[in-house]
């Protein structure tokens, strides 16, 4: 039984079945999540007899890093994790002036089919488990600990649609919140969705202050249908209604992500439509010039076009920021590294 991804309470219950005192769970869990232990032999404050007994019933299986890329400026590190069944997913460390942020994946691949995204090129293989999601952040925490730093924030924006793997995602975030793992504040978590309305509604009922980010990318149903197939199931009106309810319930501002694509959704007309759509909402817009994916044949607008779009929103009293680009030299956009290795047959 692989215990990586278990809570202290789950481990204590399992230990009890083998006649092992509950207090040992705290020792084992801290070795596993805070000291990087991958075997019971390393846990030198446990009796030798217990270190011999534990492997007969339990294992500590963490995903392994099969590729690691560093940006030239040292601010971004991209990891490709491989899981026990050979599936892979990407994780990105971004060093910001305000702290270290980790972007985690929640699925191996993705079934959403967004026209601009590399993650969905090979479809969805499977959901990631609680341990596989948590291991991405804990692995980065192990790395940062060596330089006296820590994980400050997590963005659930990697490969996959997190609200289609709801239970595992929330269990992983609750595990990462525990003081015996990395003690992550819920206010330091941002979850991004393509607009899975039932998941947004369920998240609002959790009672934890996670920031919600919605991938919008178009101001009309006709255009969003074209680039985001999910819109046919959850159209803009339903997504915006759920987002407003989330903001009202949590008192947290919703961020709308808007990827700017040349000659597709980047005109002043689309900016005006977007401003009208978001009027009187507790919301802001995060503008993202597309990170070109070779297979998609979609390109970023000029700097002048981007500035014009942002200005049009601001003139209509919509808060709009331009995402700081990080890791473009190492293909830090979701799915790019994974796809490259898959196509090479690695």
């Amino acid at each position: 039984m692989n215990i990586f991804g278990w809570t202290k309470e789950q481990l204590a219950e399992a230990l009890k079945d083998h006649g092992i005192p509950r207090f040992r769970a705290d020792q084992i869990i801290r070795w596993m999540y805070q000291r990087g232990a991958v075997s019971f032999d390393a846990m030198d404050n446990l009796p030798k007899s217990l270190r011999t007994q534990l492997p007969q019933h339990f294992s500590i299986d963490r995903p392994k890093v099969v590729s690691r890329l560093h940006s030239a400026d040292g601010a971004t590190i991209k990891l490709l994790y491989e899981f026990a069944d050979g599936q892979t997913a990407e994780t990105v460390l971004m060093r910001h002036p305000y702290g270290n942020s980790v972007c985690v994946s929640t699925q191996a691949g993705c079934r959403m089919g967004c026209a601009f995204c590399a993650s969905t090129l090979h479809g969805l293989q499977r959901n990631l488990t609680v341990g596989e999601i948590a291991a991405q952040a804990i692995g980065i925490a192990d790395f940062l600990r060596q330089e006296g730093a820590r994980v400050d924030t997590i963005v659930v924006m990697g490969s996959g649609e997190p609200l289609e793997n709801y239970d595992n995602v929330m269990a992983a975030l609750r595990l990462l919140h525990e003081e015996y793992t990395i003690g992550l504040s819920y206010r330091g978590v941002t979850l991004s969705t393509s607009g899975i309305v039932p998941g947004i509604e369920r998240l609002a009922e959790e009672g934890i202050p996670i920031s919600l980010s919605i991938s919008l990318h178009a101001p009309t149903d006709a255009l969003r249908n074209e680039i985001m197939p999910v819109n046919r199931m959850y159209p803009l009106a339903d997504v915006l209604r759920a987002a407003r309810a989330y903001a009202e319930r949590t008192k947290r501002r919703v961020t709308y992500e808007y990827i700017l694509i040349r000659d597709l959704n980047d005109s002043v007309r689309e900016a005006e439509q977007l401003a009208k759509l978001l009027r009187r909402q507790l919301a802001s817009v995060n503008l993202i010039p597309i990170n070109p994916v070779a297979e998609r044949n979609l390109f970023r607008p000029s700097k002048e076009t981007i500035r014009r779009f942002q200005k049009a929103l601001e003139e209509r009293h919509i808060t709009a920021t331009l995402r700081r680009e990080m890791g473009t030299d190492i293909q830090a956009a979701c799915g790019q590294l994974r796809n490259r290795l898959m196509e090479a047959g690695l």
Side-chain angles (χ1 to χ4, degrees):
M1 297 176 67
N2 178 21
I3 65 172
F4 197 92
W6 288 16
T7 64
K8 184 168 66 174
E9 292 72 22
Q10 289 172 318
L11 180 57
E13 284 299 311
L15 293 179
K16 185 174 69 172
D17 292 341
H18 298 283
I20 301 171
R22 292 180 63 91
F23 77 90
R24 295 296 184 191
D26 186 72
Q27 295 174 305
I28 294 167
I29 218 91
R30 291 179 188 277
W31 272 103
M32 186 169 63
Y33 292 139
Q34 296 184 340
R35 302 181 68 177
V38 294
S39 75
F40 298 107
D41 286 338
M43 303 178 185
D44 56 16
N45 61 341
L46 300 182
K48 187 174 181 179
S49 60
L50 181 56
R51 282 180 275 160
T52 301
Q53 179 186 3
L54 287 169
Q56 298 174 24
H57 311 289
F58 308 107
S59 65
I60 304 171
D61 300 322
R62 294 175 61 160
K64 62 181 179 180
V65 176
V66 294
S67 183
R68 186 191 307 263
L69 299 176
H70 295 252
S71 64
D73 63 5
T76 308
I77 301 174
K78 184 166 194 175
L79 306 177
L80 184 68
Y81 280 104
E82 183 179 73
F83 307 111
D85 63 352
Q87 293 296 338
T88 56
E90 298 166 9
T91 304
V92 181
L93 166 64
M94 297 164 286
R95 301 177 190 270
H96 298 283
Y98 55 80
N100 298 303
S101 183
V102 180
C103 180
V104 301
S105 295
T106 57
Q107 295 178 313
C110 183
R111 77 179 188 97
M112 291 296 100
C114 298
F116 46 81
C117 184
S119 296
T120 195
L121 285 171
H122 295 283
L124 173 67
Q125 272 65 57
R126 65 172 176 83
N127 287 333
L128 299 187
T129 66
V130 176
E132 289 167 344
I133 297 168
Q136 298 172 59
I138 290 169
I140 296 291
D142 290 343
F143 169 75
L144 291 172
R145 197 176 298 117
Q146 299 171 29
E147 52 187 60
R150 56 167 289 155
V151 173
D152 298 294
T153 59
I154 285 180
V155 288
V156 189
M157 294 184 182
S159 295
E161 168 51 66
L163 296 185
E164 289 213 323
N165 187 16
Y166 189 96
D167 290 337
N168 287 345
V169 169
M170 294 309 300
L173 293 177
R174 291 184 187 280
L175 179 62
L176 295 170
H177 177 71
E178 296 289 351
E179 58 86 22
Y180 56 77
T181 61
I182 64 173
L184 181 73
S185 167
Y186 288 130
R187 293 186 178 274
V189 176
T190 299
L191 183 146
S192 176
T193 176
S194 60
I196 308 299
V197 170
I200 296 171
E201 293 171 341
R202 189 176 173 190
L203 188 64
E205 298 300 317
E206 290 284 350
I208 54 179
I210 290 175
S211 295
L212 178 66
S213 182
I214 296 177
S215 296
L216 206 64
H217 309 318
T220 65
D221 280 318
L223 182 54
R224 200 165 187 260
N225 285 343
E226 182 181 339
I227 62 176
M228 296 184 70
V230 68
N231 195 69
R232 298 187 183 98
M233 182 173 292
Y234 303 115
L236 278 170
D238 292 343
V239 173
L240 294 172
R241 174 186 50 75
R244 282 193 295 269
Y246 186 89
E248 290 169 4
R249 179 66 184 267
T250 64
K251 310 305 180 190
R252 304 284 286 174
R253 181 183 297 271
V254 173
T255 298
Y256 291 97
E257 297 164 352
Y258 195 98
I259 287 180
L260 288 163
I261 306 169
R262 186 196 305 171
D263 300 329
L264 184 64
N265 66 351
D266 62 343
S267 72
V268 170
R269 177 171 174 267
E270 273 101 29
E272 292 170 347
Q273 291 172 328
L274 182 61
K276 184 177 180 181
L277 202 64
L278 301 182
R279 191 167 49 200
R280 292 190 291 274
Q281 278 211 52
L282 180 60
S284 61
V285 176
N286 189 12
L287 298 174
I288 311 165
I290 189 171
N291 196 342
V293 177
E295 297 88 345
R296 295 303 194 184
N297 202 35
L298 298 173
F299 304 97
R300 64 176 54 199
S302 66
K303 291 182 179 179
E304 180 183 350
T305 299
I306 295 169
R307 283 195 295 268
R308 188 164 56 239
F309 194 98
Q310 183 176 12
K311 183 180 178 184
L313 290 176
E314 292 172 341
E315 287 175 345
R316 290 158 179 81
H317 311 292
I318 302 295
T319 301
T321 57
L322 187 62
R323 177 179 290 182
R324 177 190 172 203
E325 293 189 86
M326 299 184 70
T328 53
D329 59 325
I330 58 169
Q331 296 186 312
C334 301
Q336 289 185 314
L337 175 59
R338 179 175 181 268
N339 289 338
R340 192 176 74 188
L341 294 185
M342 288 179 72
E343 289 160 6
L346 299 177

